[in-house]
Amino acid sequence: MPKKLIKRFMPDHEKIKNQKALKIFGSVLYNPNLWCLNRRSAAGAFAVGLFIAFIPLPSQMIMASGAAILCGVNLPLSVALVWISNPITMPFLFYFAYHVGAWLMKTPEQAFHFELTWNFFIEQINTIGPPLLLGCLVCGVVLAILGYFGIQGLWRYSVVRSWQKRRLR
């Protein structure tokens, strides 16, 4: 069952409520819908977490928390899924997103060399920024849709399979 598997890895909601970074959300964290685990909340949390993971900004966990609260989906699951773009995987994800954006914009790919100067940063934002942002948006939307419907289908398959096992007993 996906529910049992997901619950095994979810942290205790009391620990999450006591996180200093989440204090900005105040008493909204006491909404029970943010902590229940059903097919709708899990699928929505996957969509929120996978979309936010492709936003190339710091504080993705806080953005995922806010989006989960606004959408009324499982908060711990959406925050945990943001860690798909961790410091190890982030260069690969954003490099892929840049290629997707460059392909969609039909712009030639820029050679990358790194310098630690303000002019370099401004120049790179102007040249690779638009394809990167477009690629991040497209990859985020596609993964959010795939995650949502994938969890919906997996959850439904699991329930149907348990009904069939119960019927055979």
Side-chain angles (χ1 to χ4, degrees):
M1 290 285 273
K3 185 174 184 175
K4 290 178 185 175
L5 179 70
I6 292 171
K7 275 198 170 205
R8 188 177 340 156
F9 293 107
M10 280 182 42
D12 182 37
H13 69 274
E14 289 300 324
K15 288 182 182 177
I16 294 173
K17 285 179 187 176
N18 295 328
Q19 292 291 321
K20 290 181 183 179
L22 296 178
K23 294 289 184 190
I24 62 171
F25 295 115
S27 63
V28 175
L29 291 177
Y30 295 102
N31 180 356
N33 291 330
L34 299 176
W35 308 103
C36 73
L37 190 61
N38 55 36
R39 185 172 70 183
R40 182 197 160 287
S41 69
F46 264 77
V48 166
L50 291 174
F51 178 76
I52 299 290
F54 271 92
I55 295 178
L57 292 174
S59 69
Q60 291 174 329
M61 290 175 56
I62 294 173
M63 289 187 287
S65 300
I69 290 169
L70 286 175
C71 297
V73 298
N74 191 284
L75 179 68
L77 193 55
S78 64
V79 170
L81 282 164
V82 166
W83 278 96
I84 287 174
S85 66
N86 59 57
I88 295 169
T89 62
M90 195 176 293
F92 302 109
L93 293 175
F94 290 149
Y95 184 70
F96 177 74
Y98 168 73
H99 280 288
V100 169
W103 178 72
L104 288 172
M105 293 179 73
K106 296 183 183 1
T107 58
E109 296 175 9
Q110 303 290 323
F112 184 76
H113 65 283
F114 183 73
E115 297 173 17
L116 192 56
T117 63
W118 185 252
N119 288 335
F120 170 78
F121 179 72
I122 296 298
E123 181 182 314
Q124 291 301 313
I125 290 297
N126 290 333
T127 58
I128 69 169
L132 174 66
L133 293 177
L134 178 63
C136 287
L137 177 68
V138 168
C139 289
V141 168
V142 167
L143 274 180
I145 291 169
L146 288 175
Y148 181 83
F149 288 113
I151 291 300
Q152 286 275 1
L154 182 64
W155 201 288
R156 182 160 178 79
Y157 171 76
S158 175
V159 168
V160 168
R161 199 175 93 213
S162 69
W163 285 348
Q164 289 172 347
K165 283 183 181 178
R166 192 177 311 150
R167 197 177 323 154
L168 292 175
R169 288 187 218 163

